[in-house]
Amino acid sequence: MTDTIVLPSQGALTESDIDPTLDLHAEIDRLRKERNAVILAHYYQDGEIQDLADFVGDSLDLSRKAAATDADMIVFCGVRFMGEVAKILSPSKLVVIPDAAAGCSLEEACQPEAFKAFRDAHPDHLAVTYINCSAEVKALSDVIVTSSNAETIIRQLPADRPILFAPDRHLGAYMQKKTGRDMTLWPGSCIIHEQFSEKELVKLKVRHPQALVAAHPECPDSILTHADQVGSTRAILDFVLASEASEFIIATEQHIIHQMSKAAPHKTFIPAPGADGGCSCSNCPFMALNTLEKIYLCLKNDAPAITVPEELRLAALKPLERMLEMSKSVPMSGAAVNAA
Ligand code: CIZ
């Protein structure tokens, strides 16, 4: 797979160089102004990072922000493929991510060579690919989707063309059910959404009979069948804020609850349980790699930086631009804008 990361050079600052008395919030703020940088953060980031970002959102809104920004530098607090998307859409900007190791289990589960063989074996199919994948897999796809625009986009595709959906089989199965389209699914899944336990969820519902369940479509069907609302992070956020209910069980990465609690402090949000009955399974280990210290360091070091070879960038740009074009009817989410 093409390496799209430039690591900090020798002699660059490291965590052990950071003065423990430094006010990291103030320093990040100073550097962001000095560097004309915009800090984008995904809803799955730690609350402290969400609060210092200029803009917090899902992949679709963050892609739109990255494409439109006039900043010189984008600090992408999420996982690597999100930084890649920002670089593909805004090649003249310096795009840095706090931790080069912030990958994604869905991306891992769909290697470009295997995906190419999958495509080659289904030459009459359109490849509709979830944004959680590498630049190379994007380049082999017809259109990219996120969980907030997948249905809108799939409904616009020619009805007589069968679809290959990769890499999340649960989102694919959910889309198949919603749209009735002929779809062949790649067998990938997200380690977080895969771990929720139906048995523990049922037990939790018994203990909280008034609670509504909001679940992400990356969850298996055994979880979705218990949901009052199935949707992307922003759809779940909109649902809990608009609902008259006061208690919710949230079946997605638990840091989205930060925005929920901020916007509706009087409501109760309970992370969906894993097999041990606890909620540690809903904490993405890749998203959790990002810290304030690493945000400070990437602003100082200009690294880890994303670099996408031009030929690959142009090939991946096409299905991403198609996504942005085909999801114009999906509005920006108004729920989580900080400074930008
Ligand atoms: O699209 C995204 O950002 C992800 C990973 C989930 C969601 O539903 O927003």
Side-chain angles (χ1 to χ4, degrees):
M1 194 147 78
T2 308
D3 193 2
T4 55
I5 296 275
V6 180
L7 294 172
S9 53
Q10 262 201 336
L13 280 187
T14 65
E15 285 201 53
S16 58
D17 297 319
I18 301 177
D19 175 350
T21 65
L22 194 70
D23 179 345
L24 277 175
H25 281 98
E27 266 307 285
I28 289 170
D29 222 27
R30 187 186 65 73
L31 286 167
R32 132 171 61 197
K33 288 183 190 119
E34 188 178 290
R35 307 298 315 276
N36 188 25
V38 65
I39 302 180
L40 305 180
H42 193 271
Y43 287 132
Y44 292 164
Q45 288 290 280
D46 187 73
E48 200 177 25
I49 296 179
Q50 293 189 39
D51 288 346
L52 68 74
D54 294 292
F55 184 81
V56 186
D58 66 356
S59 298
L60 177 61
D61 282 351
L62 295 176
S63 306
R64 287 166 162 164
K65 280 278 163 189
T69 185
D70 55 8
D72 296 320
M73 178 176 189
I74 299 172
V75 179
F76 209 120
C77 302
V79 293
R80 187 180 52 228
F81 78 80
M82 297 176 181
E84 275 181 9
V85 168
K87 186 68 181 175
I88 292 165
L89 292 171
S90 274
S92 62
K93 316 284 179 198
L94 170 63
V95 179
V96 293
I97 59 175
D99 194 310
C104 168
S105 54
L106 281 164
E107 177 182 346
E108 280 301 310
C110 188
Q111 293 299 316
E113 308 71 35
F115 183 71
K116 180 161 184 325
F118 183 57
R119 274 228 75 168
D120 290 348
H122 302 86
D124 55 334
H125 286 55
L126 287 171
V128 176
T129 307
Y130 194 30
I131 198 162
N132 299 39
C133 64
S134 64
E136 276 163 305
V137 167
K138 287 184 176 75
L140 292 164
S141 304
D142 292 303
V143 63
I144 303 303
V145 298
T146 71
S147 37
S148 54
N149 63 19
E151 186 179 346
T152 304
I153 290 177
I154 290 169
R155 289 194 187 282
Q156 293 173 63
L157 298 174
D160 59 339
R161 295 288 299 278
I163 291 170
L164 293 182
F165 191 94
D168 191 300
R169 67 193 164 107
H170 298 307
L171 177 62
Y174 181 68
M175 285 301 138
Q176 200 168 21
K177 210 167 168 180
K178 285 215 92 173
T179 63
R181 295 295 299 253
D182 174 359
M183 287 167 74
T184 301
L185 310 179
W186 182 270
S189 63
C190 160
I191 48 168
I192 300 306
H193 294 87
E194 191 71 89
Q195 286 181 72
F196 294 124
S197 156
E198 180 183 18
K199 191 168 153 205
E200 293 301 323
L201 176 60
V202 169
K203 286 202 232 164
L204 189 63
K205 279 182 69 157
V206 171
R207 293 205 302 279
H208 298 268
Q210 306 300 328
L212 298 183
V213 178
H216 195 278
E218 285 181 30
C219 293
D221 192 51
S222 57
I223 298 295
L224 299 185
T225 65
H226 298 281
D228 298 285
Q229 156 80 6
V230 177
S232 64
T233 48
R234 63 151 81 186
I236 294 176
L237 188 52
D238 291 346
F239 168 74
V240 302
L241 299 186
S243 170
E244 286 183 359
S246 59
E247 205 176 13
F248 302 88
I249 297 171
I250 305 298
T252 190
E253 212 282 349
Q254 61 178 305
H255 289 95
I256 181 73
I257 291 177
H258 181 66
Q259 292 298 330
M260 297 175 177
S261 304
K262 269 175 74 172
H266 53 290
K267 295 187 178 183
T268 302
F269 304 103
I270 308 164
D276 63 356
C279 62
S280 56
C281 69
S282 61
N283 198 355
C284 173
F286 300 111
M287 290 278 180
L289 288 173
N290 297 333
T291 60
L292 288 196
E293 284 79 4
K294 292 177 192 170
I295 294 172
Y296 166 75
L297 288 174
C298 71
L299 276 159
K300 290 287 278 186
N301 291 334
D302 286 356
I306 303 285
T307 167
V308 182
E310 188 60 4
E311 198 181 331
L312 173 59
R313 189 189 76 78
L314 291 173
L317 180 63
K318 265 194 225 158
L320 272 170
E321 283 187 333
R322 211 165 278 142
M323 170 189 86
L324 293 174
E325 183 59 34
M326 292 176 82
S327 52
K328 276 192 170 149
S329 64
V330 181
M332 286 289 279
S333 171
V337 181
N338 290 338

